[in-house]
Amino acid sequence: MSTVEAPGWTPAETDVLVRSMMRAPSVHNTQPWLLEVTSSQLSVRERSEPALPHHDPHGRDRAASCGAAVANLELAVRTLGRSCTVAFLPEDGQPDLLARIDVGEPAAPAIEELRCYGAIARRASHRAPFEGVAVPTAVVRRIAAAGGAPGVAARPVHEVATVARLLHFAAETFRQDGAYQRELSLWTIRDEPAHRHGVGIPASRIPAGSVPWAGLVRRATEIPQIPELERRLAGETLLLFVTADDSRLDHVRVGYAMERAWLAAVDLGLAGAVLTQPLHLPEVRSALGEDLGLAGFPQALLRIGYTAEADPPSPRRAVAEVLHRGP
């Protein structure tokens, strides 16, 4: 166990806080967050680096990644037996400060909170096909409800023909985009046995023929025709996260809501993966909103389903890179 310690927390408690946050999903596994800890307050800040100008040109995924980290951190505080209140920012004077958790008096966690906290260690991106077993409607509704947050709605997607057409267009676009391909190569880990800590996507986790399963398109990716994509999507369960507005605050909240839904899915015996890349193409995002009649902005797609094998976790930064001790 780590010997790190923050004011007001024992070394073991500090370790729970930091490592729970570090297990959150992030764009290209960049882990773009910092944590400041005091006895009564936890602050989540966005790192000034790294940037992904071709994968995340507007920083939406970075902000959402930090929002996901907030969801994990909140569960960790509750599991440690403290009440807490989450405030989403950012503030004008501190644009990197995305959320603050005010820690209150001792309070026993709810059973659901303990179960979702337990799911943190099991959550990993499943970039392969699911088992083909339909997720019951009642389970989908329960997961969607878990993904609620102010200004965010999780909507099951049944319009697979529309999604297949747009995914095909996005895949073709990204496969031909040289800058996109260079950036993907830069963030792909090839020396996996030696790369025990840090950032990036293990090469073994990007399967060939990955559309729509991996959400990442390489030069060699074989892109199925639209009818085949539609057939694949028809056998999956998709949740679309939509926000009323499209501000930085909305992007943080989306990540928070998405992680809550994902952890609920894991607790119910499912696996998941997020697709955001296609939505960075303005024509895809606009068409999805119009064709589905959305009263807001589509931000992310969460694939959920059953799988026979657990997915291994991605590498993580060292604790010292994440924890900043407060006064």
Side-chain angles (χ1 to χ4, degrees):
M1 178 175 290
S2 170
T3 58
V4 294
E5 183 174 6
W9 303 90
T10 68
E13 289 173 332
T14 304
D15 200 67
V16 167
L17 294 173
V18 180
R19 295 189 185 279
S20 297
M21 176 181 169
M22 290 168 61
R23 286 293 307 140
S26 61
V27 55
H28 280 16
N29 191 34
T30 52
Q31 305 157 59
W33 47 63
L34 294 170
L35 174 63
E36 294 179 353
V37 181
T38 69
S39 59
S40 61
Q41 200 171 74
L42 311 177
S43 298
V44 177
R45 294 182 181 272
E46 182 181 33
R47 303 177 73 97
S48 59
E49 46 70 37
L52 297 168
H54 301 288
H55 282 74
D56 187 24
H58 305 292
R60 292 201 304 262
D61 288 354
R62 285 165 56 92
S65 301
C66 291
V70 173
N72 283 13
L73 192 58
E74 179 186 25
L75 285 170
V77 173
R78 294 293 297 121
T79 298
L80 290 172
R82 302 286 293 276
S83 63
C84 63
T85 303
V86 177
F88 295 104
L89 306 166
E91 296 177 348
D92 291 339
Q94 301 185 73
D96 65 322
L97 181 58
L98 299 187
R100 182 175 287 133
I101 297 178
D102 292 315
V103 181
E105 298 299 318
I111 294 298
E112 292 78 9
E113 291 171 324
L114 291 175
R115 291 172 64 96
C116 285
Y117 172 79
I120 290 175
R122 306 195 306 274
R123 186 219 57 81
S125 295
H126 184 72
R127 297 187 175 94
F130 292 118
E131 291 296 299
V133 179
V135 180
T137 301
V139 173
V140 176
R141 289 174 179 165
R142 184 172 170 182
I143 294 169
V152 183
R155 172 196 188 279
V157 178
H158 305 292
E159 300 88 343
V160 293
T162 294
V163 176
R165 173 174 53 82
L166 295 175
L167 284 182
H168 187 274
F169 172 81
E172 291 282 10
T173 301
F174 289 133
R175 187 167 66 174
Q176 301 302 321
D177 187 332
Y180 174 98
Q181 292 300 324
R182 287 190 293 273
E183 192 168 82
L184 178 57
S185 179
L186 178 65
W187 288 98
T188 299
I189 301 170
R190 293 178 175 82
D191 58 336
E192 294 183 46
H195 199 100
R196 298 181 181 178
H197 301 285
V199 298
I201 308 170
S204 62
R205 304 292 304 282
I206 309 177
S210 59
V211 179
W213 293 315
L216 300 171
V217 182
R218 297 181 292 185
R219 291 283 194 194
T221 298
E222 180 180 348
I223 302 175
Q225 294 301 310
I226 294 176
E228 171 62 14
L229 279 178
E230 186 175 346
R231 184 193 67 79
R232 293 184 185 182
L233 290 169
E236 299 204 344
T237 299
L238 293 175
L239 289 179
L240 177 63
F241 290 82
V242 182
T243 58
D245 295 309
D246 197 28
S247 68
R248 185 167 165 82
L249 174 60
D250 293 294
H251 305 154
V252 179
R253 285 174 170 168
V254 162
Y256 174 86
M258 180 195 68
E259 176 71 343
R260 286 170 59 96
W262 198 342
L263 292 175
V266 172
D267 177 56
L268 292 168
L270 291 96
V274 174
L275 299 174
T276 59
Q277 292 302 299
L279 299 179
H280 288 298
L281 296 177
E283 53 269 59
V284 170
R285 199 179 190 211
S286 176
L288 187 64
E290 292 177 4
D291 293 352
L292 271 58
L294 303 177
F297 298 86
Q299 303 286 358
L301 282 163
L302 176 64
R303 304 170 50 239
I304 54 175
Y306 296 101
T307 179
E309 297 183 2
D311 296 284
S314 296
R316 286 296 186 263
R317 294 180 185 272
V319 169
E321 293 184 70
V322 176
L323 178 62
H324 283 210
R325 294 168 178 79

